[in-house]
Amino acid sequence: MFRMLILPAALCLFIAAEAQAGAATPLVIYGDDDYPPYSYVENGQLKGIYTEIVRTAVQSMPHYAVQLRPVPWKRGLLMLQTGEAFALYPPYSWRSERPYVRYSVPLLMEQLVLLCNQDVLARRTLRQWPADYGGLHIGVNAGFLLGDAGLMASLRAEKIVVDPAKGTRTNLLKLMRGRIDCYVSDRLSAQWELQRIRREGPAGTPMQAVHETAQLASQQGHLGFTVRRPAAYPYRDDFIEQFNAAIVRMQNSGAIGRIVDQALLP
């Protein structure tokens, strides 16, 4: 004769929670390791506005056990292209240039600007982009797409040299030391890093003042998903649907605005 085993309610809840945790699908999302204040590494920890947005969103998705890891941006894009990485933040939506990426709903709006050093401004008047920038060396972050094919053709026609380097800080130091003439960056990222540079006062070549000379297009950051190796990520469509829904809830509740405000506190 079989007897029914009756378990205490607390033990039943524990077993149910353990079963649910065991059923969670483990996956890794990569974030840019050098794009402050949006996504960067500090004291070995991945931090930043986008990092907190993604972390908060996935915390509301109990069927997935998500680990966030930093990666150099150019390397992360290559991992998406080959299918080695499932997801990476925060790419802009360049669908024709990056056909291997599927995008989430927008996470945040960024304003791209052009910064130039005092030496360039003393030599020429800069009013129209790119016509007035002929022959200059323009810095960009490695892996950053400055524009579509039409804009890149215009830059070549003006003999503008695009000079990539890793990260906002490296590019700003190059700009302030006269190693490049101008630098394309998100405005908030550049302002945040310039404040740090000025506080720390790095030794070496005297620093030039830099000025914003043009406001370029606004761009929205996303969580980008690889479209390669679909068999390796059978959960992709479900994850994207749940993630998008979580982001929309955060936008409607004001949670994303609070994350931005908290990140910018002195």
Side-chain angles (χ1 to χ4, degrees), residues 175-250:
L175 179 63
M176 298 170 80
R177 289 169 176 162
R179 293 171 54 197
I180 54 176
D181 301 304
C182 303
Y183 169 48
V184 175
S185 174
D186 164 72
R187 176 185 281 143
L188 182 59
S189 181
Q191 291 174 344
W192 193 86
E193 195 63 72
L194 278 170
Q195 291 176 357
R196 294 184 68 188
I197 291 172
R198 287 165 180 155
R199 282 199 306 267
E200 296 166 7
T205 307
M207 299 289 187
Q208 295 187 46
V210 300
H211 301 274
E212 184 177 313
T213 61
Q215 181 173 303
L216 308 182
S218 298
Q219 293 284 2
Q220 293 175 313
H222 301 75
L223 181 57
F225 303 88
T226 185
V227 301
R228 311 291 196 216
R229 300 179 61 210
Y233 311 111
Y235 46 79
R236 184 180 60 199
D237 289 349
D238 178 69
F239 184 93
I240 293 174
E241 181 179 355
Q242 291 196 40
F243 181 81
N244 285 346
I247 293 298
V248 170
R249 289 194 299 270
M250 291 171 65

Side-chain angles (χ1 to χ4, degrees), residues 61-260:
M61 300 165 57
H63 296 299
Y64 295 95
V66 179
Q67 181 181 6
L68 303 184
R69 292 182 189 171
V71 68
W73 184 245
K74 199 170 181 180
R75 168 65 178 157
L77 288 172
L78 180 61
M79 292 168 69
L80 281 187
Q81 187 172 8
T82 61
E84 181 183 350
F86 170 64
L88 170 74
Y89 61 88
Y92 302 150
S93 180
W94 293 104
R95 297 178 188 274
S96 59
E97 289 79 8
R98 293 174 179 158
Y100 52 87
V101 180
R102 179 174 168 185
Y103 298 90
S104 72
V105 296
L107 306 182
L108 201 65
M109 181 72 76
E110 301 179 31
Q111 177 61 58
L112 294 180
V113 297
L114 192 58
L115 304 169
C116 297
N117 61 36
Q118 189 62 45
D119 183 55
V120 171
L121 293 172
R123 290 187 281 112
R124 63 168 74 187
T125 300
L126 301 175
R127 291 195 179 95
Q128 186 175 352
W129 165 259
D132 294 338
Y133 293 76
L136 296 182
H137 285 242
I138 308 294
V140 297
N141 289 359
F144 175 80
L145 286 178
L146 186 52
D148 59 16
L151 176 61
M152 297 310 293
S154 298
L155 299 186
R156 289 191 293 270
E158 298 291 344
K159 297 185 177 357
I160 293 173
V161 178
V162 178
D163 188 349
K166 184 182 182 298
T168 304
R169 184 182 183 88
T170 298
N171 273 295
L172 285 172
L173 288 173
K174 288 176 66 177
L175 179 63
M176 298 170 80
R177 289 169 176 162
R179 293 171 54 197
I180 54 176
D181 301 304
C182 303
Y183 169 48
V184 175
S185 174
D186 164 72
R187 176 185 281 143
L188 182 59
S189 181
Q191 291 174 344
W192 193 86
E193 195 63 72
L194 278 170
Q195 291 176 357
R196 294 184 68 188
I197 291 172
R198 287 165 180 155
R199 282 199 306 267
E200 296 166 7
T205 307
M207 299 289 187
Q208 295 187 46
V210 300
H211 301 274
E212 184 177 313
T213 61
Q215 181 173 303
L216 308 182
S218 298
Q219 293 284 2
Q220 293 175 313
H222 301 75
L223 181 57
F225 303 88
T226 185
V227 301
R228 311 291 196 216
R229 300 179 61 210
Y233 311 111
Y235 46 79
R236 184 180 60 199
D237 289 349
D238 178 69
F239 184 93
I240 293 174
E241 181 179 355
Q242 291 196 40
F243 181 81
N244 285 346
I247 293 298
V248 170
R249 289 194 299 270
M250 291 171 65
Q251 291 168 340
N252 292 338
S253 70
I256 290 180
R258 290 191 291 274
I259 288 171
V260 173

